[in-house]
Amino acid sequence: MIGNLIFKSTRFYSYLGLLLCSLMSAHAQERKNNVFGAVVNEKNIFIPYAQVSLKNSLDSNTVKTVLADSLGNFGFAIASGKYLIEVKSMGYRSAYTVTFEVTAVSSINLGSIALQIEPTQLGVVTVDAKLPFIERRADKVIVNLNGLGSGAPLMEVMNQLPGVTVDASDLISLNGKSVQIYIDGKVSALSADALSGLLKGISSAAIEKVELISQPSAKYDAAGNGAIINIIRKRSYKGGLDGNVYAGAGKGTYGKANGGVNLNYKGKGYNLLLNLDYNYNKYFYNTDIATNF
C-alpha cells in the first residue's frame, strides 16, 4: 500500500528526475574543458593549428599538447594544479602565459594569446636539422619526439601527444576513438595486455616519430571506425656498431625504474638490431568522488 502511494506521487518522480539531471550534468562537467582560449596574431586575426603546450609551473615539464582548431581555439580538461601555456606556430615567436592555478570548480578563460611575427634576418644562413615537434599533413599529424620523455617508457609519453588519451586501464584513444597500433607501418596483432606491456618496455629514446591518423584511408586495415597510431622506431644507416644505453628511476607512492640497451650493427647487405628494455612501475590510484544534491 505504502509502495503504491510512493510511486503514484508526482513529487517522487520530480525528485527522481532532478537526481538524474544532476548526475548527467556532473558527468558532462567532468569531460568539459576547464581551461580554454584562442591564438591570434598582431592584427587580432586567428592563427589556425598552432601548437599549444600545457606545462607544469614547477618544472616546466609538458603535461599535454594540443593543436588549435581552424579558428585558433584550444582547450584542456585538466586536474587541479598550477600551470602555464606555451604557444608555437611557424613564422611566429613563441609566447608564454603567466602561471595560473586550476581548482576543482574553476573554469579559466585565457582569452586571446597574441603571437608576434618572427622578423626576417638576412645575412648568415644557419641550417638547423632538428625537426619541428608537430607536423600537420593532409591525412595525419606527425609528432617528432625530439627527446620528449627523456627515455621514459613510451606508454607514459603517449598521454602527452595531441589528442591522445590513456586511461587507468592503459587503453589508448585518439580524439575519443579506439586505436589500432602500428609499428613501423605494420599492424600489431598483440592483445591489449601484451600491447600495454610492449609500450611500457619501449624507451621513448628509441622512437623517431609517432603518426596520429584519426581518419585512416583505404590503404590501412583499420577496424571499424577506429583511428591509427603508427610508431616509427629509430634506425641507424651508418656502418659498424652503434647504440645507446639508458636508465631512469622515480618515486611516487611506490618506486619505479626503467632501463635498456639499443644496439645496431650494419654490415654489407644486412642490418642487425637488438633492443633490450626493462620497466618496473607499480601503479597507485586514489580516486575521490563527491556529489552534492
Side-chain angles (χ1 to χ4, degrees):
M1 181 67 180
I2 296 176
N4 292 334
L5 290 176
I6 292 176
F7 284 107
K8 289 180 180 180
S9 171
T10 58
R11 183 176 298 177
F12 170 79
Y13 289 104
S14 298
Y15 287 152
L16 180 60
L18 181 61
L19 175 61
L20 292 175
C21 290
S22 299
L23 292 175
M24 292 173 64
S25 176
H27 179 68
Q29 291 176 1
E30 287 179 357
R31 299 178 59 85
K32 186 178 180 181
N33 292 334
N34 53 355
V35 175
F36 51 91
V39 184
V40 298
N41 61 15
E42 296 171 324
K43 298 181 180 180
N44 206 32
I45 300 176
F46 292 120
I47 300 177
Y49 310 121
Q51 175 187 326
V52 185
S53 299
L54 179 74
K55 296 178 176 290
N56 192 312
S57 66
L58 296 178
D59 51 17
S60 295
N61 284 337
T62 300
V63 178
K64 186 72 176 177
T65 300
V66 299
L67 291 178
D69 62 17
S70 58
L71 298 178
N73 299 311
F74 65 89
F76 295 93
I78 55 177
S80 300
K82 293 184 178 180
Y83 305 93
L84 59 89
I85 281 180
E86 178 189 20
V87 182
K88 293 181 178 181
S89 185
M90 185 175 296
Y92 294 88
R93 292 178 178 175
S94 299
Y96 297 85
T97 66
V98 297
T99 300
F100 56 88
E101 184 172 3
V102 178
T103 63
V105 295
S106 64
S107 181
I108 300 177
N109 184 358
L110 298 174
S112 297
I113 302 176
L115 300 185
Q116 304 293 324
I117 295 178
E118 186 73 37
T120 303
Q121 182 177 0
L122 300 178
V124 179
V125 178
T126 302
V127 178
D128 189 356
K130 188 175 181 180
L131 294 172
F133 178 57
I134 295 178
E135 298 179 59
R136 187 176 181 87
R137 304 286 177 84
D139 58 341
K140 58 190 172 184
V141 174
I142 300 176
V143 182
N144 299 294
L145 296 191
N146 292 337
L148 178 66
S150 300
L154 184 58
M155 180 63 83
E156 295 183 12
V157 176
M158 278 289 185
N159 216 23
Q160 301 180 28
L161 305 183
V164 179
T165 303
V166 182
D167 63 14
S169 302
D170 292 333
L171 294 179
I172 303 174
S173 60
L174 176 60
N175 298 330
K177 296 182 178 181
S178 60
V179 165
Q180 194 170 27
I181 299 295
Y182 279 59
I183 298 179
D184 294 332
K186 298 179 180 179
V187 63
S188 173
L190 298 175
S191 64
D193 292 338
L195 183 60
S196 174
L198 175 65
L199 297 182
K200 289 178 181 178
I202 297 179
S203 167
S204 59
I207 304 303
E208 178 182 353
K209 60 185 177 181
V210 179
E211 298 177 345
L212 309 177
I213 308 170
S214 57
Q215 299 290 342
S217 60
K219 69 178 181 179
Y220 294 100
D221 185 20
N225 194 31
I228 287 176
I229 295 180
N230 186 20
I231 300 170
I232 308 297
R233 295 176 293 184
K234 290 181 179 178
R235 295 187 182 275
S236 176
Y237 297 99
K238 60 183 179 180
L241 182 64
D242 186 22
N244 60 75
V245 179
Y246 72 92
K251 180 67 171 69
T253 302
Y254 302 104
K256 60 180 181 179
N258 66 291
V261 178
N262 300 314
L263 297 177
N264 178 79
Y265 183 82
K266 186 174 182 62
K268 294 182 178 180
Y270 65 92
N271 190 18
L272 299 178
L273 297 174
L274 174 63
N275 293 326
L276 298 177
D277 298 284
Y278 169 78
N279 178 69
Y280 170 79
N281 195 347
K282 187 175 182 181
Y283 288 92
F284 173 78
Y285 298 99
N286 186 8
T287 304
D288 295 326
I289 301 176
T291 305
N292 296 324
F293 297 100

